Amino acid sequence: MPFQPFQVTSRLNPHKLLLSKWTAVSPANKEKHFLVTMVIAPQFPGMGIDVIQLEAVHSGRSFSVRWRELADSSQWLQGWQ
Protein backbone atom coordinates (compact mmCIF):
# COMPACT_ATOMS: atom_id res chain seq x y z
CA MET A 1 0.00 0.00 0.00
CA PRO A 2 1.56 3.38 -1.00
CA PHE A 3 2.21 6.00 1.65
CA GLN A 4 -0.51 8.61 1.88
CA PRO A 5 0.08 11.48 4.28
CA PHE A 6 -2.91 12.29 6.40
CA GLN A 7 -4.45 15.72 6.20
CA VAL A 8 -5.53 17.61 9.24
CA THR A 9 -8.51 19.75 8.43
CA SER A 10 -9.17 21.97 11.35
CA ARG A 11 -12.56 23.54 11.41
CA LEU A 12 -12.60 27.12 12.52
CA ASN A 13 -15.16 28.14 15.09
CA PRO A 14 -15.89 31.89 15.02
CA HIS A 15 -16.72 31.85 18.73
CA LYS A 16 -13.19 30.60 19.57
CA LEU A 17 -11.22 32.96 17.30
CA LEU A 18 -10.80 35.79 19.83
CA LEU A 19 -7.07 36.33 20.58
CA SER A 20 -6.02 33.62 18.14
CA LYS A 21 -2.75 34.15 16.25
CA TRP A 22 -2.35 34.21 12.48
CA THR A 23 0.51 34.60 10.00
CA ALA A 24 0.09 36.27 6.62
CA VAL A 25 1.48 34.12 3.80
CA SER A 26 2.38 37.25 1.79
CA PRO A 27 3.28 39.96 4.33
CA ALA A 28 2.97 43.61 3.36
CA ASN A 29 4.56 46.58 5.16
CA LYS A 30 6.38 44.22 7.56
CA GLU A 31 2.98 43.09 8.86
CA LYS A 32 3.30 39.33 9.12
CA HIS A 33 1.82 38.37 12.49
CA PHE A 34 -1.75 39.18 13.48
CA LEU A 35 -4.10 38.74 16.45
CA VAL A 36 -7.87 38.48 16.31
CA THR A 37 -8.81 41.36 18.62
CA MET A 38 -12.57 41.38 18.12
CA VAL A 39 -15.31 39.06 16.96
CA ILE A 40 -17.97 41.41 15.64
CA ALA A 41 -21.51 40.48 16.65
CA PRO A 42 -24.09 40.23 13.88
CA GLN A 43 -26.36 43.19 13.27
CA PHE A 44 -29.53 41.15 13.73
CA PRO A 45 -30.11 38.48 16.41
CA GLY A 46 -30.08 34.94 15.08
CA MET A 47 -27.58 35.65 12.32
CA GLY A 48 -24.19 33.99 12.53
CA ILE A 49 -20.90 35.75 13.17
CA ASP A 50 -19.36 36.84 9.88
CA VAL A 51 -16.71 39.49 10.57
CA ILE A 52 -13.66 39.66 12.82
CA GLN A 53 -11.06 42.33 13.45
CA LEU A 54 -7.37 41.54 12.94
CA GLU A 55 -4.56 43.63 14.42
CA ALA A 56 -1.01 43.61 13.07
CA VAL A 57 1.47 42.97 15.87
CA HIS A 58 4.22 45.07 14.22
CA SER A 59 2.25 48.25 13.47
CA GLY A 60 -0.94 47.95 15.51
CA ARG A 61 -3.01 48.58 12.38
CA SER A 62 -6.47 46.99 12.56
CA PHE A 63 -8.83 45.91 9.82
CA SER A 64 -11.94 43.79 9.47
CA VAL A 65 -12.24 40.60 7.43
CA ARG A 66 -14.77 37.81 7.10
CA TRP A 67 -13.65 35.07 9.46
CA ARG A 68 -13.95 32.40 6.75
CA GLU A 69 -11.06 34.05 4.88
CA LEU A 70 -8.73 32.69 7.57
CA ALA A 71 -9.40 29.17 6.24
CA ASP A 72 -7.68 30.09 2.95
CA SER A 73 -4.20 28.61 3.37
CA SER A 74 -2.90 30.62 0.42
CA GLN A 75 -3.42 33.79 2.52
CA TRP A 76 -3.30 32.78 6.20
CA LEU A 77 -1.55 30.24 8.41
CA GLN A 78 -2.80 29.50 11.90
CA GLY A 79 -0.33 30.48 14.63
CA TRP A 80 2.84 32.55 14.30
CA GLN A 81 5.28 31.01 11.86
Side-chain angles (χ1 to χ4, degrees):
M1 182 150 94
F3 174 72
Q4 293 181 346
F6 69 93
Q7 290 182 336
V8 177
T9 56
S10 63
R11 292 187 173 183
L12 296 176
N13 181 340
H15 297 283
K16 295 183 179 182
L17 285 175
L18 188 61
L19 299 180
S20 62
K21 300 173 184 178
W22 295 87
T23 299
V25 172
S26 301
N29 302 322
K30 299 182 183 179
E31 295 175 339
K32 182 176 181 176
H33 298 121
F34 294 84
L35 279 173
V36 175
T37 56
M38 187 182 306
V39 176
I40 300 171
Q43 194 173 25
F44 300 103
M47 293 182 66
I49 294 170
D50 189 39
V51 180
I52 60 165
Q53 185 170 340
L54 286 173
E55 182 177 317
V57 174
H58 177 72
S59 66
R61 182 179 72 93
S62 294
F63 58 95
S64 297
V65 297
R66 292 181 174 219
W67 70 267
R68 287 180 180 87
E69 290 180 27
L70 296 176
D72 183 359
S73 61
S74 68
Q75 294 182 15
W76 298 103
L77 301 173
Q78 195 168 14
W80 287 347
Q81 321 220 345

